[in-house]
Amino acid sequence: MSANKPGDPTTLNRLYGRSKGKALRASQQDLLDKLLPQVAVPEDGEVTAERLFGQAAPLHFEIGIGGGEHLAYRADMLPDHGFIGAEPFVNGVAQALTHVRDGPEGNGPLRNVRLHMGDALQVLDRIPDGSLSFVYLLHPDPWPKARHAKRRMVNDGPVRMIADKLKPGGEFRFGTDHAIYLRHALMVMRRFTDEFDWLVEGPKSWQRRPGGWPETRYEAKARNVFEHEVWYFRYRRR
């Protein structure tokens, strides 16, 4: 499909960007071969807490987990909740699996996490409407060129899907260190004021990391190495 055709991630029907990086260590490959099948989201059918974890539970979904630091922190903090993380980058999934195996503090395995190595929207689409308590989208690929804007995850199609999947009172958390993406995302979210309330009380609301939102290595590098400002946004489903 031509990159110049209209659409967004829900209609382009393909992933962009890399899926592999440097060669995996033997231990990482072993996690992919042995642990990932045990915690993988089923390839078809409805995706529910009961199916994944054997019982009803508040369900969280993270789009693009990177190395899994945020997902592991939240899952460890909320052991009675279920967490789904999706990531197409093999090296990131391998790193996330170390957190699943060891826990964020090395205090044991996380049994309330399931992973999908691939397109997050393919899993999100199979979650029944009104099922999710939280959706997280932290530092997504900014696709800064205007002709690539359709590839950004914050676009009408994905945001519409996120709104449908969240239960009333559920929360969509979005974070970025990229000014172009920031302006684009705010423009898109203004079209969804009937679906979301922006949880904001002035500049401190988006300039300071909210409680329960850990700093990942990516965020620390963006702030301390590249001297980027980081913005945090919380939207509550009406």
Side-chain angles (χ1 to χ4, degrees):
M1 178 176 288
S2 169
N4 295 316
K5 289 186 178 180
D8 65 25
T10 61
T11 60
L12 295 177
N13 295 320
R14 61 164 293 183
L15 286 171
Y16 290 90
R18 63 179 184 167
S19 60
K20 295 183 179 180
K22 61 183 180 181
L24 296 174
R25 299 189 299 273
S27 59
Q28 292 176 312
Q29 187 62 55
D30 190 61
L31 286 172
L32 287 171
D33 293 339
K34 297 179 181 178
L35 181 56
L36 181 58
Q38 299 176 34
V39 300
V41 175
E43 294 184 1
D44 52 33
E46 277 197 336
V47 177
T48 65
E50 290 85 351
R51 186 180 184 194
L52 296 181
F53 305 107
Q55 61 186 7
L59 199 57
H60 302 232
F61 190 92
E62 185 166 347
I63 301 172
I65 62 174
E69 296 166 85
H70 173 270
L71 186 74
Y73 178 95
R74 296 286 290 172
D76 185 62
M77 184 173 70
L78 299 167
D80 295 330
H81 292 211
F83 289 79
I84 304 170
E87 173 61 52
F89 188 44
V90 173
N91 301 68
V93 174
Q95 181 62 37
L97 286 167
T98 66
H99 294 304
V100 173
R101 180 193 64 194
D102 301 333
E105 303 296 334
N107 53 0
L110 296 173
R111 305 189 186 281
N112 58 334
V113 173
R114 298 294 181 266
L115 299 179
H116 172 69
M117 188 164 66
D119 186 350
L121 295 178
Q122 293 176 353
V123 176
L124 192 61
D125 184 55
R126 294 190 284 125
I127 296 175
D129 289 355
S131 297
L132 294 176
S133 296
F134 283 85
V135 174
Y136 310 99
L137 178 64
L138 309 183
H139 302 280
D141 195 321
W143 295 110
K145 295 181 180 179
R147 68 177 183 272
H148 293 157
K150 64 179 71 68
R151 302 179 186 179
R152 296 172 188 159
M153 191 58 68
V154 180
N155 263 307
D156 287 47
V159 174
R160 175 73 268 165
M161 187 182 293
I162 290 168
D164 289 343
K165 303 306 177 181
L166 279 169
K167 61 179 58 177
E171 191 170 315
F172 172 40
R173 293 188 177 184
F174 164 70
T176 185
D177 62 304
H178 199 283
I180 292 175
Y181 205 122
L182 169 69
R183 292 192 292 270
H184 173 86
L186 290 176
M187 176 186 68
V188 171
M189 293 305 296
R190 286 185 64 182
R191 297 199 283 269
F192 287 85
T193 54
D194 289 341
E195 289 80 15
F196 289 101
D197 290 318
W198 182 10
L199 302 179
V200 63
E201 297 179 355
K204 291 182 181 179
S205 297
W206 63 79
Q207 293 172 346
R208 294 183 181 177
R209 190 182 317 104
W213 186 327
E215 182 181 53
T216 64
R217 286 181 297 174
Y218 177 93
E219 182 185 327
K221 184 176 180 179
R223 189 191 304 280
N224 301 322
V225 177
F226 297 110
E227 299 183 342
H228 289 180
E229 188 172 356
V230 180
W231 299 280
Y232 312 89
F233 295 90
R234 299 169 60 214
Y235 293 92
R236 182 172 56 211
R237 184 68 166 99
R238 289 189 169 189

